[in-house]
């Protein structure tokens, strides 16, 4: 009985540590080509993703890596997918309702308002959206799909195991977000956000690198966004 209790406490401690961990964004000097081919990617991958509101193991693995230089933020995903659902669609289509895709939310000032959402499917179809406010305290669900991240590049490549995705986000494009309080990052800068995947395969799963401790359903839980930390 004592051993069981100790084991349970250790498991809980590990869970809390994993949940509270910062997500590092490693600085890079590599020249990265946004083509879905990850052979030029040198920074470590994190994961696998878990069910976003329980922390349980996903049916298929997803890994992510983030890096930056003085001009851009770079994100790379590896998505295992035995049954890719989706198709090539026009920009800003609602692919989150129908297609296997990866997503990232970024909130530079961490106030839960004026943060961006980006989604890309296995066929390189993408959308970028501004979430002005989703709380009743600031007027309720207020989004802007017409918002565009100038200079953003997003490309996926289907592989034997699933699909890989690369995204480039110019920092200059985030400076234009009204009330976004964006400042160009440096070593030690911390943003809020999270990284996600929707898998519409044999069973629909909503996945995240860091799950929501409250166990709330839905990716838009700004109070529980993880911490992105810019590091060397």
């Amino acid at each position: 009985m004592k051993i069981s209790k100790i084991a349970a406490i250790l498991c809980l401690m590990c869970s809390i540590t994993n949940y509270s961990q910062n997500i590092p964004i490693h600085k890079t000097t590599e020249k990265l080509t946004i083509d879905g081919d990850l052979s030029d990617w040198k920074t470590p991958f994190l994961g696998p993703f878990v069910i976003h509101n329980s922390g349980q193991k996903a049916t298929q693995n997803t890994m992510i890596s983030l890096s930056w230089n003085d001009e851009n933020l770079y994100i790379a995903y590896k998505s295992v997918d035995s049954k890719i659902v989706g198709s090539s669609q026009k920009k800003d289509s609602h692919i989150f309702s129908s297609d296997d895709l990866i997503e990232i939310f970024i909130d530079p000032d961490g106030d839960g308002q004026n943060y961006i959402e980006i989604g890309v499917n296995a066929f390189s179809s993408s959308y970028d959206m501004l979430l002005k406010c989703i709380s009743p305290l600031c007027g309720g669900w207020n989004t802007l799909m017409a918002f565009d991240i100038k200079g953003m590049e997003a490309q996926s490549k289907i592989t034997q195991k699933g699909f890989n995705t690369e995204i480039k986000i110019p920092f200059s494009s985030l400076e234009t977000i009204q009330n976004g309080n964006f400042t160009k990052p440096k070593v030690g800068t911390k943003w809020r956000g999270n990284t996600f995947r929707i898998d519409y395969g044999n069973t629909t799963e909503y996945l995240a690198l860091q799950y929501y401790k409250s166990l709330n359903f839905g990716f838009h839980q700004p109070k529980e966004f993880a911490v992105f930390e810019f590091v060397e």
Side-chain angles (χ1 to χ4, degrees):
M1 179 65 73
K2 290 183 178 180
I3 293 176
S4 297
K5 287 183 177 180
I6 291 173
I9 292 172
L10 287 174
C11 287
L12 178 60
M13 289 177 65
C14 288
S15 174
I16 292 172
T17 300
N18 181 63
Y19 177 80
S20 62
Q21 223 172 22
N22 288 1
I23 298 173
I25 306 177
H26 296 271
K27 194 160 191 181
T28 182
T29 57
E30 302 289 333
K31 184 178 180 180
L32 298 173
T33 302
I34 307 303
D35 56 6
D37 181 350
L38 304 183
S39 60
D40 57 353
W41 203 269
K42 307 301 181 185
T43 51
F45 279 78
L46 305 174
F49 285 24
V50 294
I51 305 298
H52 82 288
N53 62 339
S54 71
Q56 295 179 352
K57 183 178 179 180
T59 301
Q60 304 187 105
N61 282 347
T62 312
M63 306 290 287
I64 189 170
S65 181
L66 300 100
S67 64
W68 66 293
N69 59 24
D70 292 336
E71 304 301 327
N72 305 300
L73 173 67
Y74 299 93
I75 310 109
Y77 295 78
K78 297 178 182 177
S79 302
V80 175
D81 200 328
S82 61
K83 181 183 178 182
I84 295 176
V85 177
S87 62
S88 179
Q89 301 190 45
K90 66 180 182 179
K91 176 77 163 57
D92 288 339
S93 296
H94 291 188
I95 53 176
F96 46 79
S97 301
S98 57
D99 292 16
D100 289 347
L101 81 165
I102 55 80
E103 295 184 340
I104 184 167
F105 294 3
I106 299 173
D107 185 7
D109 68 353
D111 69 351
Q113 301 178 40
N114 300 297
Y115 63 90
I116 62 170
E117 174 183 345
I118 298 169
V120 187
N121 72 6
F123 302 89
S124 302
S125 299
S126 67
Y127 68 88
D128 46 0
M129 177 175 15
L130 179 64
L131 284 298
K132 293 183 177 181
C133 170
I134 64 168
S135 168
L137 298 178
C138 56
W141 193 259
N142 185 354
T143 69
L144 184 63
M145 183 65 87
F147 169 78
D148 282 319
I149 299 174
K150 301 297 183 183
M152 185 184 86
E153 297 180 33
Q155 190 74 30
S156 293
K157 182 177 181 179
I158 295 177
T159 68
Q160 291 183 338
K161 294 183 178 180
F163 65 99
N164 298 331
T165 306
E166 290 179 299
I167 303 171
K168 182 182 83 172
I169 302 171
F171 292 133
S172 59
S173 68
L174 304 182
E175 296 173 353
T176 63
I177 299 175
Q178 188 175 8
N179 300 319
N181 301 316
F182 173 84
T183 56
K184 198 170 184 179
K186 58 185 179 180
V187 173
T189 295
K190 295 180 180 180
W191 290 357
R192 299 295 298 275
N194 209 342
T195 61
F196 306 99
R197 176 185 175 188
I198 304 178
D199 185 2
Y200 288 109
N202 296 317
T203 177
T204 299
E205 291 182 339
Y206 297 86
L207 312 175
L209 179 59
Q210 288 200 24
Y211 76 97
Y212 291 147
K213 194 175 180 182
S214 67
L215 309 186
N216 287 331
F217 179 76
F219 289 165
H220 292 278
Q221 309 290 340
K223 291 182 179 179
E224 294 199 66
F225 282 173
V227 176
F228 293 135
E229 182 171 4
F230 291 81
V231 300
E232 286 283 5

